[in-house]
Amino acid sequence: MAGFAGNGVPSREALLATVRWPRPSRLAQPLPLKGKAAQAAESLELRSVGDLLEHAPRARREGRTVAGLNRGDTATVVVEVRAITQRPVRRRGMRPLVEATVADETGPMVATFFNQPWLARRYPPGTRLVLHGKYEARNRFRVASHAQTDEAAEGGEDVSHYPAAEGLSSTQILALMREARPALAEVYEPLPARLRVSERLAPRAAALEALHFGADAHAVEAGRRRLAFEELLLLQLALLARRAARAGKRRALALDAPATVSKRWLEVGLPFALTGDQQAAISEIAAELAGSRPAQRLLMGEVGSGKTVVALYAMLRAVDCGAQAALMAPTETLAEQHFATIQRLLGSEPVTLALLTGSTPAARRAQLLARLASGGLSLIVGTHALIEEPVRFRSLAVAVVDEQHRFGVRQRAALDAKAQSGLAPHLLHMTATPIPRTLALCNYGDLDQTRLRQLPARRQPIATHIVSGTRARARAYERIAEEIHAGRQAFVVCPLVEQADEPDAGDVRAATAEFERLRAGELRDFRVVLIHGQLPHRAKQAAMAAFAAGEADVLVATTVIEVGIDVPNAAVMLIENAERFGISQLHQLRGRVGRGEHAALCLLCGPRDSPRLAALAEHDDGFALAEIDLRLRKEGELIGTRQSGLGQFAIARMPEDEALLTSARNWATRLIDRDPELGQPEHLLLARAIARVHGEIEARAIAA
Ligand code: ADP
Ligand code: MG
């Protein structure tokens, strides 16, 4: 905008007066950028002045003065140009070098700009600049990025560093931010006064000001926390509003008839006693199903924790009340597995049950649909085929959905539409991923949550040890041999298939090499087979079949065994280069042992001081491990992992801001309880902020 100043050009004010902005707010004004810089801004989603002010700094660095710089320092300084020239560079192909004498209050230095000869004209003496670069010998400053700034070259002030993009440096963003500072006056306050007073929160504009320009680290952090709280509050409000929208629109069938089928099944039908967690889950769910508010619950528990038993109980409560229940799985294979499990769990209980998937033959399908519509069929297990248009239920009261993350909003709406008109089924989602509490609140905050932590008694605890050094390794092979002599089987898991997969892998072990080495070495007395993803399908099957049938003692493998292998006689697993795997992956892997009646052993080869390996050695509970995992990870590392959902915040940081999240959740609950649609006058700006930040979630609330 500085570009408008100058001879013969109308003043900025004069220009502005002639322009009719579509929205008068200064916050809505586009950023004064062109070309590459504009593209870069677009890629950072910075379009308007308002967007810019929301762009949180990545870090805050101590402000530097010219006199305070030491040779080799990388720093940001604010200076004024005293003189500027260009001179040719001797090396061929290089454009002239620009040298500027620049200074702040503490003294001058020579700034050098490479390959940008035009700067000599763009930055005439008197121009104030923010420079980021390296201070070198002979009082020279090699500039890496630079931007013009309006502020006085005072020097020594702390500077914010911003997430930047090719074509728009952090320094340029900083300069834009300083220019935009007056627009902070137009930032509106979304939080109701009552909340702000009671939590003693600064106004939003003041918090933003502190975030960008705070005098010290303390002020910046205070601003950040205020904004983080708001960000978390808006998310929780959006989630709870969505939840309230569904609950407000439709009633559910209250499943409050006396327990008959379900009771008999629990007492006589089940061949085992429930775990404490299962019992607690069942009473919680039974109470909820008895109400006419549609249940929206997430049931979390690792594979084998007994979720299906709890889900089947809920389904049988529907049967008790003369209604129907459905279980929906993401794939045909999973649907078939659930069907088989439920059939087995039901035992001789006289309850009608069927399977419906995409490959159900047409005639059978027609027959099933007729029975569902007439109520002649009580329970059905299937894929998304269950919510297709022609499927009609006489009275669908309970719907169980396996693996919530593959079940979108449209599916939910389609499912709701299957209940009798005006009603919605009670919904129970199941997931096998242990999700830390914080993540669950952020990602599934619209669902009530039940956790099954205990594994059924039949499963054996897995003693886990870290194996470090040659002596320990020799002892590990002895333990494996002992187990095999006792009739058990063993897994050896390697991170690589072939050494050549990773040329610099150093001492990372490969399954193929380890297979050859072990069967000629430590495990030569035993029958060793190999499996990895690059083997032909038949070879894989042969290896698996041999191991499953007990014809092989040792299975050397890659992580292909992570899922789906169930060999109850396998009692020991040795994992090579365990430090290369994530906590949850190691936990999944070791879940392959201890599935029978034998005590199980997991040997993790890796550094003794690894906190992740230590966590596995100490804890058997997937939820505890997920919490530790969260704490051990650094921010950013989480993006792209299965547990992503932490990268979703602009300002808040997890798990550091956990306390803020709890408080935000409490406030959101209270606000939504009092004003479910946030329609009261003091909540209007809040509702507007939610719409802006979480338009998508809001839209979903309407769809559901
Ligand atoms: P999930 O669905 O969580 O993977 P399931 O409900 O399918 O777990 O149960 C896994 C296995 O454990 C099944 O074979 C089931 O019969 C058995 N099981 C479930 N609960 C118990 C229990 N309380 N005691 C013993 N075995 C159980
Ligand atoms: Mg199951």
Side-chain angles (χ1 to χ4, degrees):
M1 303 206 176
F4 286 124
N7 291 341
V9 180
S11 77
R12 189 174 136 73
E13 285 64 34
L15 263 183
L16 284 177
T18 67
V19 177
R20 295 223 352 243
W21 300 97
R23 281 182 290 168
S25 165
R26 212 159 161 181
L27 296 171
Q29 280 181 29
L31 291 174
L33 295 171
K34 288 206 197 77
K36 248 187 113 189
Q39 274 173 21
E42 179 70 30
S43 77
L44 294 165
E45 292 182 29
L46 303 179
R47 291 171 200 111
S48 64
V49 170
D51 295 341
L52 181 74
L53 291 171
E54 302 285 329
H55 191 59
R58 168 163 50 79
R60 180 101 177 145
R61 309 251 163 77
E62 195 194 333
R64 307 293 297 270
T65 57
V66 170
L69 293 176
N70 293 311
R71 194 168 154 182
D73 285 355
T74 297
T76 302
V77 288
V78 178
V79 292
E80 190 177 301
V81 178
R82 296 277 166 80
I84 190 159
T85 56
Q86 56 163 293
R87 63 179 175 84
V89 179
R90 249 167 281 144
R91 211 170 327 140
R92 263 205 275 155
M94 291 275 282
R95 300 207 245 182
L97 173 74
V98 170
E99 281 183 345
T101 303
V102 298
D104 65 8
E105 289 174 331
T106 67
M109 65 180 178
V110 177
T112 51
F113 302 84
F114 289 91
N115 257 327
Q116 303 159 82
W118 56 88
L119 293 180
R121 297 190 52 200
R122 196 200 288 172
Y123 293 157
T127 311
R128 287 184 292 260
L129 296 175
V130 191
L131 302 180
H132 181 75
K134 193 167 174 190
Y135 187 69
E136 297 178 332
R138 286 177 285 121
N139 197 29
R140 294 172 82 84
F141 191 81
R142 189 188 173 101
V143 177
S145 62
H146 51 88
Q148 200 170 341
T149 178
D150 285 343
E151 86 197 286
E154 271 166 30
E157 218 182 292
D158 285 3
V159 283
S160 296
H161 286 249
Y162 291 94
E166 178 83 35
L168 186 64
S169 67
S170 166
T171 313
Q172 285 166 294
I173 294 175
L174 177 64
L176 286 169
M177 202 68 80
R178 294 187 148 144
E179 211 173 313
R181 188 170 182 167
L184 280 169
E186 291 192 45
V187 167
Y188 73 89
E189 175 58 63
L191 300 185
R194 190 164 35 85
L195 163 57
R196 280 210 296 122
V197 169
S198 128
E199 291 286 312
R200 287 189 286 158
L201 300 175
R204 175 161 225 276
L208 276 171
E209 175 130 43
L211 180 73
H212 296 295
F213 310 108
D216 54 34
H218 184 76
V220 175
E221 176 60 10
R224 191 197 69 79
R225 284 175 55 82
R226 155 69 178 78
L227 296 165
F229 173 79
E230 180 187 303
E231 185 176 32
L232 295 167
L233 178 75
L234 294 183
L235 173 63
Q236 291 305 320
L237 282 169
L239 288 165
L240 293 176
R242 172 164 101 179
R243 175 192 167 79
R246 179 169 187 263
K249 233 179 332 191
R250 291 162 178 265
R251 307 274 81 198
L253 210 57
L255 302 178
D256 52 5
T260 50
V261 181
S262 62
K263 185 156 183 273
R264 190 173 60 220
W265 175 71
L266 277 185
E267 288 170 0
V268 193
L270 264 190
F272 43 72
L274 296 176
T275 64
D277 281 355
Q278 281 172 322
Q279 255 158 6
I282 277 176
S283 17
E284 187 172 37
I285 289 169
E288 189 172 31
L289 296 181
S292 59
R293 182 184 160 129
Q296 305 183 69
R297 185 168 289 274
L298 179 63
L299 179 61
M300 288 180 263
E302 291 179 65
V303 174
S305 61
K307 295 182 295 299
T308 313
V309 171
V310 173
L312 178 52
Y313 171 82
M315 294 168 81
L316 290 179
R317 280 300 289 144
V319 179
D320 286 339
C321 302
Q324 294 166 298
L327 186 154
M328 202 163 99
T331 66
E332 257 179 48
T333 316
L334 281 169
E336 281 160 19
Q337 281 174 10
H338 277 301
F339 177 70
T341 307
I342 288 182
Q343 215 167 21
R344 186 169 50 80
L345 285 171
L346 274 176
S348 59
E349 210 44 67
V351 175
T352 48
L353 166 73
L355 174 71
L356 179 67
T357 69
S359 32
T360 306
R364 166 109 184 114
R365 182 183 150 83
Q367 189 205 4
L368 285 179
L369 294 193
R371 289 173 63 210
L372 277 178
S374 70
L377 185 57
S378 297
L379 305 183
I380 187 140
V381 175
T383 54
H384 282 50
L386 287 180
I387 50 172
E388 279 164 15
E389 176 47 37
V391 181
R392 301 248 186 286
F393 290 81
R394 194 175 74 88
S395 172
L396 178 66
V398 171
V400 179
V401 179
D402 194 18
E403 293 303 348
Q404 132 99 5
H405 56 273
R406 302 188 214 188
F407 185 71
V409 175
R410 270 202 278 137
Q411 285 82 355
R412 185 188 289 203
L415 196 50
D416 282 354
K418 296 297 174 201
Q420 286 151 288
S421 75
L423 294 181
H426 293 286
L427 251 184
L428 190 60
H429 295 277
M430 302 197 285
T431 177
T433 312
I435 307 163
R437 205 192 64 90
T438 20
L439 284 185
L441 263 189
C442 295
N443 293 342
Y444 305 105
D446 54 341
L447 303 175
D448 292 305
Q449 297 170 10
T450 300
R451 289 177 169 75
L452 300 180
R453 287 173 179 270
Q454 291 171 307
L455 296 179
R458 191 182 57 83
R459 293 212 34 197
Q460 296 297 312
I462 306 168
T464 300
H465 302 285
I466 301 174
V467 172
S468 197
T470 23
R471 293 254 309 272
R473 177 177 283 276
R475 175 74 193 120
Y477 292 123
E478 277 170 35
R479 285 291 291 115
I480 291 176
E482 285 165 21
E483 290 294 331
I484 300 175
H485 284 306
R488 306 287 83 76
Q489 290 163 281
F491 294 104
V492 173
V493 182
C494 300
L496 302 180
V497 175
E498 308 255 18
Q499 210 75 53
D501 290 352
E502 252 180 71
D504 326 317
D507 61 353
V508 179
R509 298 200 183 222
T512 45
E514 213 36 30
F515 167 67
E516 296 299 343
R517 194 185 72 75
L518 287 172
R519 70 174 179 166
E522 285 96 337
L523 302 179
R524 65 182 161 274
D525 297 340
F526 307 113
R527 298 163 298 176
V528 184
V529 290
L530 170 70
I531 191 168
H532 58 71
Q534 290 170 24
L535 285 179
H537 185 65
R538 301 212 15 216
K540 274 190 272 194
Q541 278 199 322
M544 262 322 301
F547 191 68
E551 287 155 16
D553 304 306
V554 182
L555 182 64
V556 177
T558 54
T559 52
V560 291
I561 61 159
E562 197 180 338
V563 283
I565 286 191
D566 191 3
V567 179
N569 192 45
V572 50
M573 173 177 285
L574 180 142
I575 303 178
E576 293 289 359
N577 306 100
E579 75 282 359
R580 293 185 46 121
F581 298 101
I583 285 188
S584 67
Q585 199 180 8
L586 289 169
H587 183 60
Q588 291 260 322
L589 274 170
R590 73 175 170 182
R592 303 295 108 200
V593 294
R595 300 172 81 80
E597 73 258 34
H598 313 290
L601 182 64
C602 174
L603 302 165
L604 301 174
C605 298
R608 183 152 297 286
D609 58 2
S610 155
R612 282 186 294 143
L613 302 191
L616 279 147
E618 190 178 342
H619 298 276
D620 203 16
D621 170 357
F623 289 97
L625 286 171
E627 297 287 348
I628 294 174
D629 199 13
L630 185 58
R631 270 159 192 78
L632 290 177
R633 283 164 195 260
K634 300 221 168 41
E635 223 207 334
E637 264 182 61
L638 282 161
I639 297 164
T641 70
R642 232 193 332 176
Q643 297 188 333
S644 70
L646 282 196
Q648 68 190 350
F649 298 116
I651 312 255
R653 288 198 289 255
M654 292 295 157
E656 297 97 299
D657 289 334
E658 212 167 354
L660 290 179
L661 173 63
T662 305
S663 159
R665 173 76 177 186
N666 291 340
W667 272 103
T669 309
R670 262 180 280 167
L671 287 164
I672 292 285
D673 278 351
R674 290 176 46 156
D675 183 11
E677 280 155 25
L678 297 176
Q680 291 169 11
E682 72 266 32
H683 297 151
L684 283 181
L685 290 176
L686 198 52
R688 185 175 130 190
I690 296 170
R692 187 170 61 85
V693 182
H694 296 294
E696 198 195 334
I697 288 183
E698 263 228 323
R700 285 193 243 164
I702 294 159

